[in-house]
Amino acid sequence: MMAIVHFLPILWGMIISIMQIDATFVSRWYSAPFVGLENYARLLDFDSTVGSRFWFSLRQTTIFAIGTVVGSYSLGLASAVILDSDFRGSNVARILVLLPWISPAVVVLLVWRMMLLSDTGVVNNVLLSAGIIGEPIVWLIGANSIYSMILVNVWINFPWATIMLYAALKSIPGHLYEAARIDGAGRWGQFRHITLPQLKPISVVISLLLVLWSFINFTVPYVLLGQSPTRSGEVSMLFIYNYAFHNYAFGLGAAMSVVLFLFAMGIALVYYKYAVSGSFEGEGR
């Protein structure tokens, strides 16, 4: 099943990336000419239109991933700490926190798209009423589109981070906090010297998965910004889809996908070597 679902599509994408499959050969791909690394050479030509746009989209994807990780983890950690305390209605609060994550993604994105409209959107109306802004902000077009995607992606993913961190908080031995209180540590000292170190193994896993999910995220940019986003919101997945299917350049599109795959896997391997494996080794010691 792993071979059918994962390895064969990856191998097939790599094969397509070294062939010139376009509108002429899309119905008879087996007769498409072999071009070797020509598609990859076009991507490495930063002066070409497709090369410059692809690497810019990769840059925007990196910003999208970093913003998602920082926002989702920060909000997830704050929510987990609050839910870990005993208060009236805590069970209801735990259910409410899960709503953005368990709701259908397309429905959530369409609602956010309406909320972020510049003229009738709820977000601008609230900010204007509060006096935070003086005029409506255009969220879905122009330079702000990347920040809109980060905001919505954080909203969707932070409940998952909350669940993981909440479970990790429950697994921290209580005697560590008791010993810290005896030594005179306050709440901030306990959080800094006990909670955060104990959460490090799960934190690095959460960060790694959020980065990978952000790099391959197609639903958020496509539903939120549409098929023709402005340059700021043109992340790699959306650019590859639009370029490959609108221009029938499936060979070049496959080459872009392979580069994106290798880039994401490179980040994952480096991160795993210096963060994930080190955290679990340290935990074992």
Side-chain angles (χ1 to χ4, degrees):
M1 289 302 298
M2 288 291 292
I4 295 174
V5 176
H6 293 289
F7 300 128
L8 287 181
I10 292 174
L11 178 61
W12 181 239
M14 292 180 176
I15 294 174
I16 293 177
S17 70
I18 57 177
M19 301 172 66
Q20 187 181 346
I21 299 182
D22 50 22
T24 305
F25 299 99
V26 66
S27 60
R28 44 190 181 91
W29 55 267
Y30 47 86
S31 60
F34 173 80
V35 295
L37 300 179
E38 181 179 329
N39 290 326
Y40 295 95
R42 291 182 61 186
L43 296 180
L44 293 176
D45 184 4
F46 300 99
D47 295 328
S48 65
T49 301
V50 63
S52 61
R53 288 185 62 187
F54 173 72
W55 290 104
F56 181 82
S57 71
L58 196 59
R59 170 181 174 271
Q60 295 304 100
T61 305
T62 304
I63 296 174
F64 177 59
I66 294 174
T68 296
V69 171
V70 173
S72 299
Y73 182 83
S74 301
L75 194 56
L77 180 59
S79 302
V81 170
I82 294 174
L83 294 177
D84 191 42
S85 59
D86 294 327
F87 59 92
R88 180 177 297 179
S90 59
N91 291 330
V92 176
R94 295 186 186 100
I95 296 174
L96 293 177
V97 167
L98 289 176
L99 287 180
W101 189 53
I102 64 177
S103 300
V106 174
V107 175
V108 173
L109 291 169
L110 290 176
V111 172
W112 269 105
R113 185 173 182 175
M114 291 187 291
M115 291 173 59
L116 291 172
L117 292 175
S118 59
D119 48 358
T120 60
V122 175
V123 174
N124 274 341
N125 288 334
V126 171
L127 295 177
L128 288 170
S129 300
I132 299 177
I133 59 176
E135 58 183 14
I137 298 176
V138 180
W139 293 104
L140 301 176
I141 302 175
N144 293 322
S145 57
I146 184 67
Y147 305 114
S148 301
M149 289 195 301
I150 293 174
L151 171 65
V152 176
N153 205 36
V154 167
W155 174 260
I156 293 175
N157 285 291
F158 94 87
W160 175 79
T162 301
I163 294 173
M164 303 294 287
L165 292 169
Y166 176 76
L169 286 173
K170 288 298 184 182
S171 66
I172 300 177
H175 65 82
L176 296 178
Y177 293 104
E178 294 177 4
R181 284 192 292 268
I182 293 174
D183 291 339
R187 299 185 65 178
W188 170 246
Q190 296 175 37
F191 180 77
R192 179 182 176 185
H193 297 290
I194 296 177
T195 304
L196 288 181
Q198 292 292 318
L199 292 179
K200 184 179 178 181
I202 191 63
S203 298
V204 293
V205 173
I206 290 172
S207 301
L208 175 60
L209 291 177
L210 286 175
V211 167
L212 295 179
W213 291 346
S214 299
F215 266 88
I216 62 174
N217 194 315
F218 176 78
T219 307
V220 170
Y222 184 79
V223 177
L224 196 65
L225 304 181
Q227 295 187 20
S228 302
T230 52
R231 187 171 173 82
S232 175
E234 194 174 48
V235 293
S236 295
M237 287 295 295
L238 194 54
F239 172 70
I240 293 172
Y241 169 79
N242 286 332
Y243 191 89
F245 285 90
H246 291 174
N247 298 289
Y248 292 95
F250 300 109
L252 186 58
M256 296 183 201
S257 300
V258 171
V259 172
L260 179 63
F261 170 76
L262 294 176
F263 188 82
M265 289 303 298
I267 293 177
L269 290 174
V270 172
Y271 189 82
Y272 182 84
K273 179 179 180 181
Y274 291 101
V276 179
S277 60
S279 298
F280 285 104
E281 289 174 2
E283 186 183 44
R285 290 193 296 268

